[in-house]
Amino acid sequence: MKIGVCYYPEHWPESRWQQDAQHMKSMGLSMVRIGEFAWSKLEPESGNYQFDWLERSIDTLQNAGLDVILGTPTATPPAWLIRQHPEMLAVDEHGRVRDFGSRRHYCFSSEPYRKECKRIVEKLAERFGNHPAVVAWQTDNEFGCHSTTISYSNAALTAFQTWCSRHYNGIEALNHAWGNVFWSMEYSSFDQIGLPVGTVTESNPAHRLAYWKFSSEQVKTFNRLQVDILRTHSPNRDIVHNFMGNFVEFDHFDVADDLDVASWDNYPLGFLTRDGTNEADQETWLRTGHPDSSSFHHDLYRACGKGRMWLMEQQPGPVNWAPYNPAPLPGMVRLWGWEAIAHGAELVSYFRYRQAPSAQEQMHSALCLPNGEEDDAAREVKILAKEIQQLINTPHESSSADLAIVFDYTGDQAARIQQPDGQHYDPLVFIQTIYSVVRQLGMQVDFISSAAAASGKQLDQYKLVMLANNTLSDQALAAKLASIDALIVMFPRTGSKTNECAIPEPLPPGAFQSILDIKVTRVESLPANIAMQTNKQNTIINWRERVESSIVANETFDDGWGFHYQNNRVHYFNGCPNRDTLLTLLTQQLANAELDPINLGRGLRLTQRGDLVWAFNYGPGDAELSNHILERFGFQPSNGFLIGQEKLHIGDVAAWKSS
Ligand code: GAL
C-alpha cells in the first residue's frame, strides 16, 4: 500500500528537484508519476532526443528513496510533429479539426501518429526500461478525455471501412445486419460506408453502435501498441493507464485486459456536476463529493484490473474545470485516501505536487502552493501516510462481496444510442443509483464484466447478481445465470437489443427469456415531472415496460400494466424505480438473498476488506456507529478501534478489525 504524487520536473528549475524529492519523502510518499506530458522537452525537434534531464530527475527521486511511474508522452504531441503530420489531428462532429494548443490532439486511427508513438515509446523504454527506480509505466493519459475517443477524420473513415469489411462477410451481410433496406440506406461496397455524423436526421443506430465498437477497439490497439514495446524493453514493471470517472466511451474491460493494473483519476467534487447528481444533492455533497461516487469507481476499476487497482490522481483541493470549484471539507482528502485503500487501491497518488503558476491549470490546487509552501492537502496526506504505516501491515486482502453487478460497456452504449427520446434515462446514472442504494444498505459490491460473468466460475460465489446495463441479448450470460444458485435481479431494458442494436426476434428480454418467461410488448419513456405509482406505492420514473407473461405480476399500475415479475430466484423489474423505491425493493431482495441489509442512512458508508472494516462519514451531519452496526460488522469491544471512534463528524473515518 503506497502513497504517491504526480510531479512535473520539467516545470521547475533543476536546482529545486532535490528539495522537492526530499519533501515528498518526508511527507510519507513513495511513488512519483512523471513524464506523461513532456514530449516537447524530450524531443524538442524531430529526432533530437533530450533524455538526460529526465534521467537526472529520475535519479534525484531515486536518491530520495522514491520510485517512479514513467508516463509515455503521447497525449501531447509537440507542435513540430503536428506541422509534419497535420492529418493526425482528430476531427469533431462538425468537421472541424481539433487543433494544437492544449492536449489530446490526435486521432486514434492515424497511422502516421501511431508510428510516431511507437518511435518515442521505444526510445524511452530502451533508455529507462531497466532503470531500477522505474517500477511502472503509464501509457498516455486519460484516453478519451475532452471527448476524444471518437474522431471523424479521413483516417478514421478509412479504418472504419476496413473494420466493417473484416467484421461482416460481404456488404450484403452488413446491409442485412444493420437493416439498411430501411430508407434505402443500402451500400453496394464497403468504400461507400460513411461515418455516422452529419446526417439529416439521426443516423442508423446499428451504424452508430458499430462505430462505437470500432472506436473502442482503436483505443485498445493504440494502447496495446505501447504495451507491447514496454513489455519488451522493460520487463517486470507494472503497466497501467489512468482511466477517468463517469466515463463509458470505450470498453474499459477490453483496454484493461492488456494492462497489469487498472488505475483511475478521482475528482469527487468536480464529478458532482457531471454524474447525474440532482441539484439538491449537489448542494448537500458540495464539499464531500457524493458518498458513493468514489467507491463505485474503485469497485468498477478493480474489476477492470482483475483485482488490481490504483488511484493515479486524487483531487487535493479545488479543481479548475467544473462549473464551480469548491474546496473540500477538512478531513476529506484523508477520507478519500482511506476509502480508496478500503476498496482495494494499492496506490493512492495525488494530483499534483505543486500548483502550476501558469497555463491552463493554474487555478487547480495541489499538495503545495505555486510558491512551494505546503497547502491544506499536504497536512492530511501526512496524517494518512502515518496511519497507513501503523495499520496496514498485512498483505492486501481481496474483496469479500456477496453481491455482484454485471457491467457491460457495449450494453450501456446500446441503451444510450436510441432511447427512444427517454432523455432522463441514463444507463450509467441508473446503475450508479443501484450501486448507491446497496451501499447505503451496507453491502460490499463486486463488478464483473458480462464476458467474465458468462465464461468462468466467478459468478458462482455470489448470493445476489444484478443486471442493469446488459442491454444486449446475451445467450452465454443467460445460460450462465441459469446454472448458478444466486438470486438474480434484472432491470428494464435487459436483453432488449441484439448485437446490431435491433430488437431481438423473441422480443425483449431476448435470450434472458430462457430464465424468466416474460415478453416486453411495449415500452414508454416519461418526462421528468411524471412518476407512476404501483398498487404497493412503489414509484417508477423515466421508463416503463408492458410485459406479457404466464406469470402474474407482483404489483400493478392503475392502467393494468404489471410490475415486478418473478419466477423463484429470478426477478425482473419492468420500470425504473426512483431511489426510494429502489431502497424498498432492494432491501427485500437482499433479505431474500440472506444478505442482512442494514440501512446506514444517507452518508455513512461501511467497507470491509479481509478482516478490516472502515466507516466513512460523508454527512450531511454527524453520524454514530450504533451497536447494531458495530455488531453487524464484527466489532469487538475488547479490541476497540484502530482509527477513530463511534461518533463521526463529517469527513471522519473509523476502522477496526472484525472478528
Ligand atoms: C485529469 C488529468 C490531469 C489533470 C487533472 C486536473 O483529468 O489527467 O492531467 O488535467 O485532470 O484535474
Side-chain angles (χ1 to χ4, degrees):
M1 176 55 237
K2 295 188 164 140
I3 306 198
V5 76
C6 306
Y7 182 53
Y8 300 89
E10 69 274 23
H11 297 183
W12 310 104
E14 195 165 337
S15 56
R16 176 77 195 202
W17 293 354
Q18 193 185 352
Q19 186 185 338
D20 287 349
Q22 284 166 350
H23 179 228
M24 292 172 198
K25 186 69 187 174
S26 75
M27 285 197 288
L29 309 182
S30 58
M31 293 268 258
V32 187
R33 185 195 67 180
I34 62 171
E36 82 278 12
F37 299 126
W39 199 336
S40 67
K41 276 270 170 277
L42 293 168
E43 192 187 9
E45 51 189 10
S46 185
N48 172 8
Y49 300 107
Q50 297 290 331
F51 290 179
D52 291 351
W53 69 266
L54 185 58
E55 178 144 9
R56 290 196 300 279
S57 78
I58 295 174
D59 291 345
T60 309
L61 294 166
Q62 183 187 25
N63 291 339
L66 298 157
D67 286 333
V68 169
I69 304 163
L70 191 52
T72 67
T74 53
T76 48
W80 60 259
L81 201 155
I82 306 302
R83 299 308 167 229
Q84 250 176 34
H85 291 293
E87 77 285 6
M88 59 162 278
L89 294 168
V91 173
D92 75 7
E93 69 271 33
H94 307 292
R96 290 181 303 228
V97 170
R98 306 195 70 189
D99 217 337
F100 182 78
S102 63
R103 62 176 169 182
R104 301 214 51 75
H105 39 280
Y106 69 83
C107 174
F108 282 100
S109 299
S110 166
E111 283 305 328
Y113 188 54
R114 285 181 178 225
K115 238 169 116 188
E116 292 291 318
C117 292
K118 256 182 166 160
R119 188 178 54 77
I120 189 74
V121 172
E122 195 143 45
K123 289 279 175 207
L124 280 167
E126 280 168 4
R127 174 77 177 256
F128 299 108
N130 290 307
H131 194 298
V134 175
V135 297
W137 290 86
Q138 175 186 297
T139 56
D140 202 282
N141 190 79
E142 290 194 342
F143 289 138
C145 183
H146 316 305
S147 311
T148 53
T149 310
I150 294 207
S151 157
Y152 300 100
S153 69
N154 285 332
L157 172 62
T158 315
F160 181 55
Q161 290 170 343
T162 308
W163 185 91
C164 288
S165 69
R166 283 204 199 111
H167 276 72
Y168 297 92
N169 192 11
I171 196 69
E172 265 320 308
L174 178 142
N175 282 329
H176 181 72
W178 290 9
N180 280 345
V181 63
F182 191 78
W183 287 352
S184 273
M185 291 183 295
E186 288 167 296
Y187 305 108
S188 48
S189 64
F190 284 101
D191 60 13
Q192 291 171 0
I193 298 173
L195 298 180
V197 71
T199 46
V200 172
T201 182
E202 69 168 304
S203 52
N204 188 342
H207 192 177
R208 275 180 280 162
L209 188 61
Y211 199 55
W212 181 88
K213 289 180 190 168
F214 157 80
S215 302
S216 182
E217 276 183 41
Q218 295 298 83
V219 178
K220 181 181 171 73
T221 55
F222 184 88
N223 178 65
R224 178 65 188 267
L225 185 136
Q226 303 197 11
V227 169
D228 287 345
I229 296 170
L230 296 170
R231 292 222 188 279
T232 307
H233 297 289
S234 190
N236 307 318
R237 267 73 174 175
D238 282 325
I239 303 178
V240 314
H241 174 77
N242 57 333
F243 296 115
M244 290 193 291
N246 304 303
F247 194 73
V248 287
E249 280 180 20
F250 58 84
D251 188 334
H252 290 54
F253 286 112
D254 206 23
V255 175
D257 254 352
D258 295 320
L259 301 168
D260 298 304
V261 184
S263 81
W264 78 285
D265 299 344
N266 187 21
Y267 294 91
L269 304 190
F271 289 164
L272 265 182
T273 51
R274 295 191 169 189
D275 65 1
T277 303
N278 64 41
E279 270 179 34
D281 285 351
Q282 284 178 23
E283 223 173 278
T284 308
W285 312 120
L286 183 75
R287 296 184 185 284
T288 58
H290 190 285
D292 302 302
S293 165
S294 300
S295 56
F296 170 86
H297 292 96
H298 296 320
D299 289 349
L300 179 59
Y301 287 124
R302 199 179 63 242
C304 291
K306 296 186 214 68
R308 293 197 62 198
M309 183 266 292
W310 293 1
L311 191 53
M312 190 61 86
E313 298 179 11
Q314 172 63 59
Q315 173 167 3
V319 297
N320 66 313
W321 44 260
Y324 47 84
N325 297 296
L329 206 71
M332 288 313 295
V333 169
R334 167 176 170 259
L335 182 151
W336 292 326
W338 266 126
E339 194 179 31
I341 295 162
H343 286 263
E346 300 168 9
L347 166 74
V348 176
S349 160
Y350 290 86
F351 185 87
R352 50 192 278 161
Y353 174 68
R354 183 168 164 186
Q355 185 171 349
S358 38
Q360 280 91 330
E361 293 184 347
Q362 55 185 274
M363 303 300 283
H364 193 295
S365 62
L367 298 189
C368 297
L369 295 165
N371 69 357
E373 286 170 32
E374 287 186 358
D375 199 352
D376 297 5
R379 292 185 269 282
E380 293 192 29
V381 168
K382 285 192 266 189
I383 297 172
L384 178 67
K386 275 215 186 86
E387 289 176 336
I388 288 174
Q389 261 185 353
Q390 286 158 7
L391 196 68
I392 308 268
N393 44 17
T394 49
H396 217 73
E397 300 277 355
S398 60
S399 139
S400 38
D402 287 320
L403 184 167
I405 300 179
V406 182
F407 196 96
D408 189 49
Y409 284 93
T410 317
D412 173 285
Q413 195 50 221
R416 67 178 69 236
I417 276 181
Q418 217 190 18
Q419 306 239 344
D421 304 324
Q423 294 161 8
H424 309 289
Y425 170 84
D426 179 312
L428 182 61
V429 170
F430 185 53
I431 210 165
Q432 284 176 331
T433 310
I434 292 168
Y435 175 88
S436 170
V437 165
V438 294
R439 287 289 295 150
Q440 178 172 343
L441 292 170
M443 295 299 123
Q444 314 302 309
V445 179
D446 281 344
F447 286 97
I448 174 164
S449 74
S450 330
S455 53
K457 288 195 172 305
Q458 277 191 54
L459 268 199
D460 299 353
Q461 71 195 72
Y462 299 100
K463 290 187 175 163
L464 175 60
V465 174
M466 297 206 273
L467 274 64
N469 69 3
N470 286 90
T471 314
L472 299 186
S473 170
D474 184 335
Q475 206 88 47
L477 180 58
K480 179 71 200 182
L481 292 173
S483 76
I484 59 176
D485 297 328
L487 197 119
I488 294 163
V489 171
M490 297 184 282
F491 286 98
R493 309 199 69 179
T494 302
S496 63
K497 297 285 168 177
T498 67
N499 226 350
E500 301 291 353
C501 221
I503 298 168
E505 195 163 330
L507 296 183
F512 299 98
Q513 287 181 4
S514 63
I515 52 170
L516 190 65
D517 178 27
I518 56 168
K519 190 162 78 183
V520 174
T521 56
R522 169 162 288 184
V523 300
E524 65 170 3
S525 52
L526 301 167
N529 58 337
I530 298 288
M532 306 277 301
Q533 289 245 314
T534 70
N535 59 345
K536 293 191 180 165
Q537 270 68 55
N538 283 320
T539 304
I540 270 52
I541 52 170
N542 297 336
W543 187 272
R544 198 171 65 122
E545 298 170 347
R546 186 177 67 196
V547 165
E548 274 181 25
S549 178
S550 56
I551 300 164
V552 178
N554 287 346
E555 301 177 34
T556 48
F557 295 95
D558 276 354
D559 58 7
W561 292 23
F563 178 63
H564 185 182
Y565 292 83
Q566 174 191 359
N567 179 18
N568 295 320
R569 64 185 180 88
V570 183
H571 297 254
Y572 186 81
F573 292 107
N574 50 311
C576 283
N578 71 3
R579 191 186 167 100
D580 287 344
T581 289
L582 267 178
L583 202 61
T584 311
L585 297 176
L586 292 179
T587 304
Q588 287 157 5
Q589 297 308 326
L590 293 170
N592 291 343
E594 294 170 1
L595 285 174
D596 196 9
I598 178 168
N599 194 335
L600 300 169
R602 291 186 75 192
L604 177 67
R605 293 294 179 263
L606 276 93
T607 300
Q608 177 150 21
R609 262 191 113 59
D611 61 357
L612 286 178
V613 180
W614 289 260
F616 306 101
N617 185 21
Y618 274 81
D622 291 349
E624 170 123 22
L625 297 167
S626 63
N627 286 340
H628 182 197
I629 294 176
L630 287 168
E631 264 167 39
R632 162 79 169 69
F633 286 89
F635 181 78
Q636 284 296 314
S638 52
N639 293 342
F641 287 92
L642 298 167
I643 298 180
Q645 43 156 334
E646 289 92 339
K647 281 195 181 14
L648 297 144
H649 298 305
I650 310 176
D652 278 353
V653 179
W656 61 92
K657 245 192 168 93
S658 77
S659 56

